[in-house]
Amino acid sequence: MLKIQNILFIFLFLLTSACQAATPLPNLTVAEGEEFTLAVGQSATVSASTLTVKLVGVPEDDRCPSEVTCAESGPVSIAVTAQAGNEEPMEITLRTFTDDQGRTPEMEFERIQDRIEYKGYLIRVISVSPYPVNLEDKIEAGEYRVTF
């Protein structure tokens, strides 16, 4: 009986530990022109300005998984907010293609907006990781990292 109680206690401890909120990632301060990588929910503020960019999420990822042969690979969509000072944040959805390392091409594609000018700053997606591997393993929201 004591053994069952110990197992039950350990199970309940692990269950409650798993339900606790994860520690949020710190917001970044970056130099103007410097690349920075954000996790979902994380922000970066450009030093010497009031520009803040926040990664809201990756609502759509239609890239062809690396273990699959596809006729073509689709884009990945990135939701961000940009805010200058005390202004209301502007919601922006960027879309881009990537190679199988998650890097975006330098060239622009028709109907694909991988960059936007906001308050005199160019916000451009440099890479999106991880790259999908197969059709069975879904990338969870918290796993995405986007470099701007």
Side-chain angles (χ1 to χ4, degrees), residues 21-134:
T23 305
L25 295 169
N27 293 329
L28 307 175
T29 301
V30 297
E32 188 173 326
E34 178 183 4
E35 287 185 11
F36 56 93
T37 302
L38 298 177
V40 174
Q42 192 175 26
S43 299
T45 301
V46 177
S47 60
S49 80
T50 60
L51 175 67
T52 300
V53 176
K54 179 178 182 178
L55 177 59
V56 176
V58 179
E60 186 177 20
D61 191 348
D62 292 329
R63 298 177 292 173
C64 179
S66 58
E67 293 181 352
V68 177
T69 302
C70 302
E72 63 182 19
S73 185
V76 59
S77 297
I78 300 99
V80 298
T81 60
Q83 183 177 15
N86 294 327
E87 294 182 14
E88 285 294 314
M90 179 179 167
E91 295 180 12
I92 302 165
T93 300
L94 300 170
R95 291 171 41 103
T96 189
F97 295 106
T98 71
D99 62 17
D100 61 359
Q101 301 300 309
R103 303 282 302 171
T104 61
E106 290 290 325
M107 61 193 289
E108 294 184 51
F109 290 88
E110 189 175 324
R111 295 188 307 263
I112 296 292
Q113 183 180 13
D114 68 345
R115 63 196 80 193
I116 189 169
E117 189 172 323
Y118 177 79
K119 304 289 181 182
Y121 288 93
L122 179 66
I123 302 169
R124 177 169 123 23
V125 178
I126 304 293
S127 69
V128 181
S129 63
Y131 191 85
V133 176
N134 57 50

